[in-house]
Amino acid sequence: MSAIPGDFDDLDISNDTKMILNELVKRKKKYDQVKAQYAAVVICGIVVGVFVLSWLFRLKSATIQNALSVLSMSMSAVYIAMLAGLFLSARNLAAQYKKRKKKYEDLREETIDLLNADWKLNLKTNKRDKISERLSEKGINIRYKS
């Protein structure tokens, strides 16, 4: 039986359990990474938004005609493009965040169920590992549901 590299090699548990635990750790890292990226994009959006608002506040004394001519300047187009890009990035990261959080939470709950069951290494788990490995070769995953 091949050993699964990871944080749980020293435990006397089945390979399937080790793989689920290692996958749970990987999903948590991915979830935290997307969460940090989302926070960074939101903070950048707030900073750029405050900068644009302060820029527009300085233009308040201009007449409507002058304001329209100022808004057509290339700098305002850059500000609007930056805000639009940050908004789209934040929206995309929010969708990824929800997806990663759901996948992480589903596997976490499944791991809790697994650890409540009989998971110590024994004859039954050895057979399960062999069955799982053979099905894995055929592209069928029975290690975790999500």
Side-chain angles (χ1 to χ4, degrees):
M1 199 177 326
S2 64
I4 308 302
D7 297 332
F8 306 99
D9 290 337
D10 60 332
L11 299 177
D12 191 28
I13 56 178
S14 71
N15 282 340
D16 282 348
T17 304
K18 288 178 189 178
M19 290 184 78
I20 288 175
L21 295 174
N22 288 328
E23 180 67 22
L24 184 64
V25 170
K26 279 191 242 174
R27 286 188 187 183
K28 176 65 171 152
K29 286 179 185 177
K30 288 178 184 178
Y31 165 67
D32 288 341
Q33 182 183 28
V34 170
K35 188 164 82 170
Q37 288 173 347
Y38 179 69
V41 167
V42 168
I43 289 171
C44 287
I46 290 171
V47 168
V48 170
V50 167
F51 183 73
V52 169
L53 287 176
S54 68
W55 178 70
L56 290 173
F57 186 71
R58 284 186 255 149
L59 296 176
K60 74 176 186 173
S61 62
T63 64
I64 290 184
Q65 186 178 13
N66 288 342
L68 291 177
S69 67
V70 168
L71 287 176
S72 66
M73 292 181 350
S74 63
M75 200 58 177
S76 63
V78 169
Y79 292 148
I80 291 171
M82 285 173 55
L83 283 174
L86 286 171
F87 174 76
L88 292 174
S89 295
R91 194 177 84 182
N92 182 30
L93 285 172
Q96 283 184 15
Y97 172 76
K98 287 179 184 177
K99 180 181 171 185
R100 298 269 169 108
K101 182 178 180 180
K102 180 169 178 14
K103 287 179 80 172
Y104 166 71
E105 287 296 329
D106 288 347
L107 186 60
R108 188 184 65 78
E109 290 172 8
E110 191 174 326
T111 303
I112 291 169
D113 291 341
L114 172 76
L115 294 179
N116 285 335
D118 181 24
W119 47 271
K120 291 185 179 177
L121 190 60
N122 58 31
L123 184 60
K124 182 180 174 185
T125 59
N126 287 337
K127 287 180 183 178
R128 178 172 163 68
D129 286 342
K130 288 178 184 177
I131 291 169
S132 181
E133 285 176 20
R134 287 189 185 170
L135 289 175
S136 243
E137 292 169 0
K138 298 179 188 298
I140 300 170
N141 179 10
I142 63 165
R143 289 188 174 98
Y144 44 90
K145 297 176 191 174
S146 55

